[in-house]
């Protein structure tokens, strides 16, 4: 008898799990449940669509639902929110309708945008930026000719992309965050300061270190009130404060949950046969050895693949990932790998105001965090080498890579940091 599997949530992790399940079990009956009507979309592309740089179809990197059905033959339950799950019997409830039992269930429920209680509801002149629907609303607002000014709450990677598209559209833009600086979870303070200087030079108004307390939406504007009492009036308010893992199903089913759903290296939860992958779960951070949410597209893909193979009885492990950000905006690059709060020896190349600035913190012979400004074209090789170091590959830098980094201004002393502190 063919086995039956369920995937709850159909983003990157859910799609990759589907492909892995079908690869490992050609005869399986695979049910996919989603509370959306669209195929899996890439959230990182939503700002490009909102800016008019991408067509609507480009938001869906795996193709249409018809394409997916043709390739993998899932039983799709679109616009069908799952309301409950019984981990012991492995059954799923969508309202009054029950499905199962299943041989394995994957929770790939993703994350929701954080919307603080400001007294306004997203949808009019107040928007979030996470989903395809959010991107469509923002594009509509920016293209109707009535928006001249925008307030963006959240000095995040998403927030800065919203600022960029507003600047390109010639709109007055204010970027605000309750943190005292931009990118506080990824950038060293001096790197944040340099990014802020450059943004100010480009005309962006910055408002850091004061929490938003309320907002009032009127017919033709939004007033955003801050804790310091000084309001900002704009035509549009965009919330990019962050996300929160969707863990309600797991929690109500009795699964282990921290900030996200707790999983092992096979992506299995505390309940046998129940797996989790993507932004809803806590994967392994290979730099620290601990578990935490690492909300990256590639991370979700690897976790989904691992979960799919394991559900089908094909033992697989995902060794983990590192915290990292690689982004280009407004003519500058910012790259960060590792824990910005790491303690150790500080090593730098250049100054923040130079054409290229590199700063690293090293302890126990390993780079714990590194920031780069304006070095996008070498970010990939640095990421790969750091990943190799923390997954057990302690080989010296290849001559070609050493030569490339040397031409980019990396000294022999700095290059030695990539090899565990031994001077070259």
């Amino acid at each position: 008898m063919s086995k039956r599997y369920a995937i709850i949530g159909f983003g990157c992790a859910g799609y990759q799990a589907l492909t892995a399940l079908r690869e490992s079990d050609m005869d399986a009956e695979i049910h996919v449940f989603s509370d959306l009507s669209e195929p899996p979309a890439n959230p990182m592309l939503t700002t490009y669509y909102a800016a008019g740089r991408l067509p609507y179809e480009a938001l869906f990197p795996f193709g249409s639902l018809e394409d997916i059905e043709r390739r993998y033959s899932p039983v799709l339950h679109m616009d069908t929110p799952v309301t409950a799950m019984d981990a012991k019997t492995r059954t799923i409830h969508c309202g009054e309708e029950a499905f199962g039992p299943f041989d394995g269930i994957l929770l790939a429920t993703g994350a929701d945008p954080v919307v603080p209680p400001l007294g306004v509801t997203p949808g009019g002149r107040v928007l979030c930026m996470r989903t395809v629907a959010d991107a469509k609303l923002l594009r509509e607002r920016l293209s109707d000719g009535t928006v001249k000014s925008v307030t963006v709450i959240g000095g995040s990677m998403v927030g800065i992309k919203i600022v960029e598209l507003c600047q390109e559209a010639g709109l007055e833009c204010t970027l605000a965050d309750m943190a005292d600086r931009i990118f506080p979870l990824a950038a060293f303070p001096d790197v944040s300061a340099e990014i802020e200087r450059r943004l100010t030079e480009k005309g962006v108004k910055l408002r850091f270190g004061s929490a938003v307390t309320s907002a009032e939406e009127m017919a033709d504007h939004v007033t955003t009130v801050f804790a310091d009492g000084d309001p900002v009036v704009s035509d549009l308010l965009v919330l990019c404060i962050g996300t929160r893992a969707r863990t309600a199903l797991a929690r109500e089913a009795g699964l282990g949950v921290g900030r996200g759903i707790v999983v092992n290296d096979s992506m299995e939860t505390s309940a046998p046969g129940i797996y989790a992958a993507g932004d809803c779960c806590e994967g392994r951070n290979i730099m620290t050895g601990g578990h935490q949410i690492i909300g990256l597209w590639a991370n979700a893909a690897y976790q989904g693949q691992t979960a799919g193979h394991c559900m089908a009885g094909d033992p697989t492990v995902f060794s983990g990932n590192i915290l990292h950000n690689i982004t280009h905006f407004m003519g500058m690059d910012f790259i960060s790998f590792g824990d910005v709060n790491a303690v150790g020896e500080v090593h730098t190349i250049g100054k923040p105001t130079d054409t290229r600035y590199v700063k690293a913190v090293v302890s126990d012979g390993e780079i714990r965090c590194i920031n780069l400004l304006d070095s996008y074209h070498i970010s990939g090789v640095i990421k790969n080498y750091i990943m190799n170091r923390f997954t057990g590959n302690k080989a010296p830098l290849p001559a070609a890579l050493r030569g490339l980094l040397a031409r980019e201004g990396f000294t022999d002393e700095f290059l030695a940091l990539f090899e565990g502190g031994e001077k070259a």
Side-chain angles (χ1 to χ4, degrees):
M1 180 182 294
S2 298
K3 291 189 174 181
R4 305 177 74 220
Y5 303 101
I7 298 171
I8 304 174
F10 204 31
C12 178
Y15 173 82
Q16 294 295 342
L18 169 63
T19 67
L21 275 168
R22 186 57 72 209
E23 180 181 317
S24 293
D25 189 343
M26 293 294 293
D27 299 321
E29 181 181 312
I30 307 171
H31 291 252
V32 176
F33 297 84
S34 175
D35 52 7
L36 302 175
S37 59
E38 301 99 353
N42 186 343
M44 295 185 295
L45 301 179
T46 52
T47 55
Y48 295 96
Y49 169 75
R53 296 181 188 173
L54 289 177
Y56 180 73
E57 295 75 18
L59 292 171
F60 310 104
F62 308 125
S64 67
L65 291 174
E66 292 74 19
D67 294 333
I68 295 169
E69 285 182 306
R70 185 176 61 254
R71 290 195 299 265
Y72 302 111
S73 303
V75 180
L76 296 178
H77 306 268
M78 307 305 291
D79 283 317
T80 308
V82 174
T83 55
M85 177 184 69
D86 188 317
K88 291 182 179 179
T89 62
R90 295 182 198 152
T91 55
I92 288 171
H93 297 267
C94 300
E96 295 183 356
E97 191 171 6
F99 298 87
F102 294 101
D103 293 282
I105 297 175
L106 172 68
L107 292 167
T109 47
D112 289 321
V114 173
V115 180
L118 301 178
V120 291
T121 302
R125 290 187 175 273
V126 180
L127 304 177
C128 292
M129 197 61 205
R130 174 72 177 175
T131 67
V132 170
D134 296 333
K136 290 171 72 174
L137 274 176
L138 180 58
R139 183 164 176 166
E140 290 172 7
R141 298 292 183 273
L142 296 182
S143 63
D144 67 10
T146 64
V147 175
K148 305 299 181 185
S149 59
V150 179
T151 300
V152 178
I153 306 298
S156 62
M157 304 301 163
V158 176
I160 196 63
K161 297 301 288 186
I162 300 297
V163 170
E164 179 181 45
L165 72 89
C166 290
Q167 285 287 108
E168 291 177 351
L171 308 179
E172 180 180 301
C173 194
T174 299
L175 175 63
D177 199 302
M178 68 181 296
D180 62 359
R181 56 192 176 88
I182 196 169
F183 305 154
L185 301 180
F188 295 119
D190 59 337
V191 174
S192 292
E194 175 58 18
I195 294 172
E196 291 172 21
R197 185 189 69 80
R198 298 183 190 185
L199 292 176
T200 301
E201 277 189 349
K202 294 178 181 293
V204 179
K205 298 177 182 179
L206 302 179
R207 187 73 175 270
F208 292 107
S210 183
V212 179
T213 58
S214 64
E216 183 179 6
E217 182 178 359
M218 306 298 286
D220 59 351
H221 69 273
V222 180
T223 300
T224 306
V225 180
F226 294 84
D228 60 14
D230 189 10
V232 173
V233 178
S234 58
D235 299 319
L236 201 65
L237 172 63
V238 184
L239 303 176
C240 305
I241 297 171
T243 60
R244 182 177 293 113
R246 297 180 69 180
T247 61
L249 274 177
R251 195 181 301 275
E252 291 166 6
L255 276 58
V257 176
R259 292 179 67 88
I261 304 169
V262 178
V263 295
N264 59 23
D265 289 348
S266 295
M267 310 313 299
E268 190 171 29
T269 70
S270 58
I274 309 293
Y275 295 77
D279 293 354
C280 67
C281 78
E282 298 182 356
R284 183 179 296 279
N285 182 329
I286 61 174
M287 293 187 84
T288 66
H291 285 73
Q292 67 184 108
I293 298 171
I294 300 179
L296 301 169
W297 177 260
N299 198 62
Y302 289 130
Q303 289 181 340
Q305 284 275 337
T306 301
H309 285 303
C310 290
M311 287 169 67
D314 183 9
T316 309
V317 297
F318 175 47
S319 59
N321 212 320
I322 61 174
L323 294 171
H324 63 278
N325 294 279
I326 302 173
T327 187
H328 175 83
F329 55 94
M330 299 176 70
M332 69 185 94
D333 305 318
F334 170 66
I335 300 100
S336 174
F337 304 113
D339 180 7
V340 73
N341 296 311
V343 176
E345 295 181 359
V346 176
H347 300 259
T348 61
I349 297 175
K351 303 185 299 295
T353 53
D354 289 345
T355 303
R356 176 178 299 103
Y357 180 56
V358 183
K359 183 174 184 178
V361 171
V362 179
S363 65
D364 298 327
E366 299 288 356
I367 294 176
R368 302 298 170 178
C369 186
I370 184 169
N371 278 190
L372 299 91
L373 275 176
D374 302 324
S375 301
Y376 185 86
H377 61 290
I378 61 173
S379 61
V381 294
I382 291 176
K383 173 191 171 183
N384 289 338
Y385 199 77
I386 289 177
M387 288 289 289
N388 284 339
R389 291 286 302 178
F390 282 94
T391 53
N393 184 351
K394 304 293 186 179
L397 281 166
L401 179 54
R402 178 178 285 275
L404 169 65
L405 295 179
R407 289 192 296 274
E408 295 295 324
F410 284 67
T411 63
D412 285 345
E413 180 180 3
F414 208 96
L415 289 172
L417 303 178
F418 290 94
E419 298 174 331
E422 298 289 337
K423 187 167 182 177

